[in-house]
Amino acid sequence: MSKLVVGNWKLNPSTAVEAVELARATDFPNAVICPPDIFLMQVGKVLEKASLGAQDLFWENAADITGEASTEQLLKVGVSYVIVGHSSRREEVGETDELVNLKLKAAVAAKLKAILCIGENLELHKQGEEAARQFVAGQLDKALKGIKEGEEYLLVAYEPIWSISTSGTGLTDTPQEAAQMIRYIKDALTERGFGKTPVLYGGSVNGETAGAFLKQDAIEGVLVGGASLKADEFKKVVSQA
Ligand code: PGA
């Protein structure tokens, strides 16, 4: 069975015409395409094989809140996956573990497949494996607080922040190191009653490197940023999944 490839377009592209073109060229059965909210409707209309995903959500429906999208609205435009707690939201927007928990609870309750992002930053990475493990286990505890059921709607993406292309460190994880951490995360999920949750890897994977990560049994899919914006590159990743 093919592994899952999630494309996170972040704030790209800049026009609906480009978004539709990219969606047409990256429409594969084992893919999830996460465009910016503003293009969800157009991209959703074009996708025939891939699933539609959102990059974020708000935890209440019909609330007096400005500038957000609710689970109800996302479902109505055909979204079936949603990224929760991406490192860029945690770091750039200041999203806290408490907000991540509210969002995760809301997504799972609404039966949206939630891709919970966790991962340590460069400082923790430098402190060694144990520090990174403790940190991601803590992120899991905080994100999963109060969630008792709905495991079938939960996925985890391990994204070491220092390895994401936009982090600027120039460092990347090896497939072996990534798989080792993902095995640890799997065990941590099992201990918390979420042993069937798939764990994806997302740290600057591209057409060249994807195969080696996807060959690791522990890695059940990849979350791709930059490489999801180039159709050829994304196709290469998908073909190795
Ligand atoms: P990248 O981004 O593939 O460009 O490193 C991954 C992510 O931020 O999800």
Side-chain angles (χ1 to χ4, degrees), residues 8 10 86-88 159 163-166 202-205 223-227:
N8 177 11
K10 304 186 184 172
H86 189 272
S87 62
S88 56
E159 300 208 296
S163 188
I164 292 177
S165 61
T166 47
S204 215
V205 174
L223 175 50
V224 185

Side-chain angles (χ1 to χ4, degrees), residues 191-214:
E191 276 168 26
R192 289 157 181 78
F194 293 91
K196 294 200 191 89
T197 302
V199 184
L200 319 179
Y201 176 70
S204 215
V205 174
N206 58 39
E208 294 301 308
T209 59
F213 285 95
L214 287 160

